[in-house]
């Protein structure tokens, strides 16, 4: 009887904006093709249909789902719809664009951390991304020109902003309108302050930077989609001081450095890792020597590659010991 009743219910589509304690909070999808959703609607509390446990499908924020409403106003998620992207850290689906937020000062931007976040976004299949440097009220903008030029030459958008002075905030609002956008970056860079500057109704809690370790407090604990008054959502994510990219295969890492691509075909050996090979045999290393690839970007590549290789070796040894027990 329950099954027949469920089948008789109208199937609706919606977007998961928050998950907590096995509950999924959904807002209705107004037009699936145009990715329009009702930012004014009260979220519907839903549980997963039992079939998800058998299939081991993971539903996360940003996911588009089919669900049915129950008489008490809650719902049941029946089906996970295809994703256009999946950010790995934290797990967020169907992002239209990523804003990677760093501070111009306090804490100072670290090239390796910037590059790790860019690799994360590339690996996640996010096509539109913008590097944002907040707190430019603390420095002279000229000090950022070199780093701005470096990333713009690769093809990334770079936006210099100040949440305190609201510099370029109106431009950022226009970029955010009617999209699902993720704010990601290390702790202490002012992501919550930036959210409040975009839409004061968000009321995000902000924290101070620790003078001792120059690291921000984690004012955001869980990733969540927050509706904004220009339409659409921003994904407020916890801050990070490090990123685990070890699921990436060593031979695939270069794919996530866009400026490497036109030089890879010049490598002598198939499967070249652009690491220990002689420069004459490696198109990427030759491009670094001729300054067609920025040396700090190549250093970031080597650092991430070492992390991935060392972690895979540790995992291999652990499995070997476990298998011999």
């Amino acid at each position: 009887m329950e099954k027949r009743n469920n089948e008789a219910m109208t199937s609706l589509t919606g977007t998961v904006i928050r998950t907590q304690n096995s509950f999924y909070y959904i807002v209705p999808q107004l037009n699936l093709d145009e990715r329009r959703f009702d930012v004014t609607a009260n979220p519907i509390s839903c549980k997963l249909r039992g079939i998800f446990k058998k299939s081991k499908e993971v539903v996360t924020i940003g996911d588009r789902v089919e669900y049915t409403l129950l008489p008490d106003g809650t719902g049941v998620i029946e089906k996970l719809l295809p994703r256009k992207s999946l950010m790995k850290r934290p797990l967020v689906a169907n992002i239209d664009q990523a804003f990677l937020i760093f501070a111009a000062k306090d804490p100072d931007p670290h090239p390796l951390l910037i590059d790790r976040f860019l690799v994360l976004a590339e690996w996640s299949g996010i096509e539109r991304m913008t590097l944002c440097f907040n707190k430019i009220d603390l420095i002279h903008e000229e000090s950022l020109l070199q780093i701005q030029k470096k990333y713009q030459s690769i093809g990334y958008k770079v936006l210099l902003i100040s949440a305190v002075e609201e510099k370029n905030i109106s431009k950022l609002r226009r970029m955010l309108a009617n999209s699902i956008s993720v704010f990601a970056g290390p702790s202490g860079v002012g992501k919550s302050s930036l959210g409040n500057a975009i839409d004061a109704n968000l009321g995000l809690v902000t924290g101070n930077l620790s003078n001792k370790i120059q690291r921000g407090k984690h004012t955001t604990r869980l990733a969540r989609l927050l509706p904004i008054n220009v339409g659409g959502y921003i994904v407020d994510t916890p801050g990070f001081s490090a990123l685990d990219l070890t699921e990436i295969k060593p031979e695939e890492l270069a794919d996530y450095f866009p400026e490497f691509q036109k030089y890879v075909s010049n490598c002598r050996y198939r499967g070249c890792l652009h690491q220990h090979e002689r420069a004459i045999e490696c198109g990427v290393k030759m491009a670094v020597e001729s300054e067609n690839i920025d040396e700090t970007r190549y250093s970031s590549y080597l650092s991430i590659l070492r992390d991935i290789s060392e972690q895979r070796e540790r995992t291999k040894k652990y499995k070997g010991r476990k298998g011999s027990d």
Side-chain angles (χ1 to χ4, degrees):
M1 181 65 69
E2 182 182 357
K3 183 177 181 180
R4 286 198 299 271
N5 288 339
N6 284 335
E7 288 177 344
M9 293 178 182
T10 302
S11 180
L12 305 170
T13 60
T15 299
V16 180
I17 66 166
R18 181 165 58 93
T19 67
Q20 189 172 3
N21 298 330
S22 300
F23 285 92
Y24 298 79
Y25 297 87
I26 294 173
V27 291
Q29 198 93 19
L30 298 181
N31 186 311
L32 194 61
D33 293 331
E34 296 179 5
R35 290 178 44 72
R36 293 178 59 226
F37 30 81
D38 189 352
V39 298
T40 65
N42 290 323
I44 300 163
S45 172
C46 295
K47 298 283 283 186
L48 293 176
R49 179 68 66 193
I51 192 172
F52 281 91
K53 293 181 180 179
K54 296 179 182 179
S55 67
K56 296 183 179 180
E57 281 186 307
V58 175
V59 177
T60 188
I61 66 168
D63 268 326
R64 296 175 300 168
V65 297
E66 290 184 0
Y67 67 100
T68 52
L69 282 176
L70 301 177
D72 63 0
T74 63
V76 177
I77 296 175
E78 308 284 353
K79 182 180 179 182
L80 177 64
L81 297 175
R83 293 166 171 157
K84 63 175 287 185
S85 65
L86 182 66
M87 191 165 183
K88 314 290 187 177
R89 304 284 189 276
L91 203 62
V92 184
N94 298 316
I95 298 165
D96 293 313
Q97 56 186 339
F99 291 84
L100 306 181
I101 315 295
F102 296 88
K105 186 177 178 61
D106 295 338
D108 294 342
H110 194 290
L112 176 56
L113 191 56
I114 293 172
D115 291 336
R116 291 180 75 91
F117 271 94
L118 286 170
V119 168
L120 170 66
E122 295 279 1
W123 177 39
S124 300
I126 300 169
E127 296 180 357
R128 292 159 51 195
M129 61 185 85
T130 302
L131 271 174
C132 293
F133 292 94
N134 189 22
K135 305 185 185 182
I136 61 171
D137 50 288
L138 301 180
I139 64 165
H140 293 292
E141 287 188 37
E142 291 77 11
S143 62
L144 279 178
L145 289 180
Q146 186 175 357
I147 194 169
Q148 182 180 17
K149 182 179 178 181
K150 176 174 78 171
Y151 287 104
Q152 285 178 335
S153 69
I154 297 170
Y156 293 116
K157 293 180 180 178
V158 179
L159 189 61
L160 306 183
I161 53 181
S162 169
V164 172
E165 296 183 348
E166 296 201 358
K167 184 163 187 178
N168 282 330
I169 296 301
S170 59
K171 182 175 182 179
L172 182 55
R173 284 195 193 101
R174 292 193 296 271
M175 295 173 72
L176 292 168
N178 301 313
S179 297
I180 296 181
S181 309
V182 64
F183 279 11
S187 304
V189 298
K191 295 192 300 296
S192 296
S193 296
L194 191 57
N196 290 335
I198 291 163
D199 185 344
N201 294 322
L202 293 180
L204 299 175
V205 178
T206 60
N208 296 322
L209 191 73
S210 167
N211 290 327
K212 184 176 181 181
I213 59 174
Q214 288 292 293
R215 188 176 299 164
K217 297 178 181 178
H218 296 277
T219 52
T220 300
R221 301 296 180 182
L222 298 171
R224 53 198 174 146
L225 266 67
L226 302 173
I228 51 177
N229 53 19
V230 293
Y233 285 83
I234 58 172
V235 186
D236 186 33
T237 65
F240 303 91
S241 57
L243 287 175
D244 181 8
L245 301 173
T246 53
E247 290 180 31
I248 299 174
K249 295 178 181 178
E251 61 272 20
E252 294 176 353
L253 178 60
D255 296 342
Y256 307 122
F257 284 77
E259 70 272 38
F260 285 19
Q261 300 316 302
K262 62 182 177 180
Y263 303 107
V264 168
S265 60
N266 296 330
C267 293
R268 180 175 180 180
Y269 301 108
R270 186 177 181 181
C272 179
L273 291 180
H274 326 298
Q275 183 181 28
H276 300 304
E277 299 82 4
R278 292 185 302 165
I280 196 172
E281 298 173 332
C282 175
V284 169
K285 294 182 80 169
M286 288 180 67
V288 175
E289 288 192 355
S290 61
E291 298 184 355
N292 289 317
I293 290 177
D294 185 87
E295 189 173 358
T296 61
R297 285 278 289 173
Y298 179 63
S299 295
S300 293
Y301 167 80
L302 292 178
S303 178
I304 298 170
L305 182 63
R306 284 193 296 269
D307 287 348
I308 292 171
S309 300
E310 289 171 3
Q311 179 59 42
R312 292 171 77 89
E313 187 62 30
R314 285 193 294 267
T315 300
K316 183 178 179 181
K317 288 180 179 178
Y318 172 76
K319 288 181 178 179
R321 290 196 303 269
K322 189 174 180 181
S324 62
D325 289 343

